[in-house]
Amino acid sequence: MRLRRKRRFFTAAESAEIWDRWRRGEGLKSIGRVFGKGSSSIFAHISPTGGIRPPPRRRSRLALTLAEREEISRGLAHGHSLRRIACSLGRAPSTVGREIARNGGFRPYRAAASDRRAWDRARRPKACKLTRHPELRRVVAKHLRRNWSPQQIAGWLKRTHPGTESCQVSHETIYRSLYVCRPAAC
């Protein structure tokens, strides 16, 4: 029986050093030796962006901050209404309501955990919808084999599954999956 090694991702500091060394012209093997990794691990880290260092991630100025999430948490703990919490933050009540709903509801809402999840959800690029929903992918592939156009498939799915977002896909997504997405991803 072969044991699989646990995959270890690079920390932010390690990633920065990899990119600095790559920019200075060091080879994959040389960089890998520094981290005790093979050249394939370094290649896998560098290749998704085409060997160009990605810009540092930053939050949108429109996104809720950790301080605002803590204020929401305190407001919920004190039994304040959504409107009162939203007013104190200078935000729309719908913004506060969506934030609470997507992070467990009124009782289990925790600011730090919600902030981490928001940061993770904001990561780009996202996997395309046909990658995340295998059954939807099979249905689309079946209709493509029958020579249906992506517009016909999207329309048929919308009529067949009204109100079920996970069973619908736009024709643009189908085209992107056919022509842009990597075969392994879509």
Side-chain angles (χ1 to χ4, degrees), residues 6 20 41-42 64 72-73 77 96-97 132 140 146-147 167 185:
K6 187 175 185 217
D20 290 341
S41 294
I42 305 302
L64 290 171
I72 291 170
S73 183
V96 175
R132 295 187 322 257
V140 169
R146 293 179 179 170
N147 291 325
C167 295

Side-chain angles (χ1 to χ4, degrees), residues 62-64 72 82 86 91-102:
L62 303 174
L64 290 171
I72 291 170
L82 287 180
R91 297 281 192 159
S94 59
T95 301
V96 175
R98 279 192 307 271
E99 170 68 14
I100 293 167
R102 81 170 60 102

Side-chain angles (χ1 to χ4, degrees), residues 6 11 13 29 32 37-39 54 63 69 75 105 110 115-116 126 129 134 137 151 161 183:
K6 187 175 185 217
T11 65
K29 282 186 178 182
K37 295 288 212 171
S39 60
R69 287 187 170 96
R110 295 291 177 262
D115 195 60
R116 272 193 309 278
K126 301 272 190 226
K129 189 170 189 176
R137 182 176 58 239
Q151 287 89 346
H161 304 285

Side-chain angles (χ1 to χ4, degrees), residues 52-167:
I52 299 169
R53 185 183 209 146
R57 286 184 68 197
R58 61 180 193 275
R59 294 179 189 258
S60 165
R61 61 181 177 75
L62 303 174
L64 290 171
T65 64
L66 178 58
E68 288 175 315
R69 287 187 170 96
E70 287 171 348
E71 190 65 33
I72 291 170
S73 183
R74 281 192 292 276
L76 291 174
H78 285 97
H80 296 159
S81 70
L82 287 180
R83 289 191 180 280
R84 183 172 175 185
I85 296 169
C87 185
S88 71
L89 293 173
R91 297 281 192 159
S94 59
T95 301
V96 175
R98 279 192 307 271
E99 170 68 14
I100 293 167
R102 81 170 60 102
N103 289 295
F106 290 90
R107 287 275 175 234
Y109 185 85
R110 295 291 177 262
S114 299
D115 195 60
R116 272 193 309 278
R117 282 193 294 271
W119 182 247
D120 292 341
R121 280 192 303 265
R123 187 172 291 283
R124 298 288 187 264
K126 301 272 190 226
C128 66
K129 189 170 189 176
L130 294 175
T131 300
R132 295 187 322 257
H133 297 90
E135 184 58 37
L136 180 60
R137 182 176 58 239
R138 281 191 283 280
V139 169
V140 169
K142 179 178 85 172
H143 285 89
L144 286 171
R145 282 191 298 275
R146 293 179 179 170
N147 291 325
W148 283 34
S149 74
Q151 287 89 346
Q152 289 172 316
I153 297 169
W156 178 80
L157 287 169
K158 197 171 194 173
R159 282 190 310 280
T160 308
H161 304 285
T164 311
E165 186 65 30
S166 64
C167 295

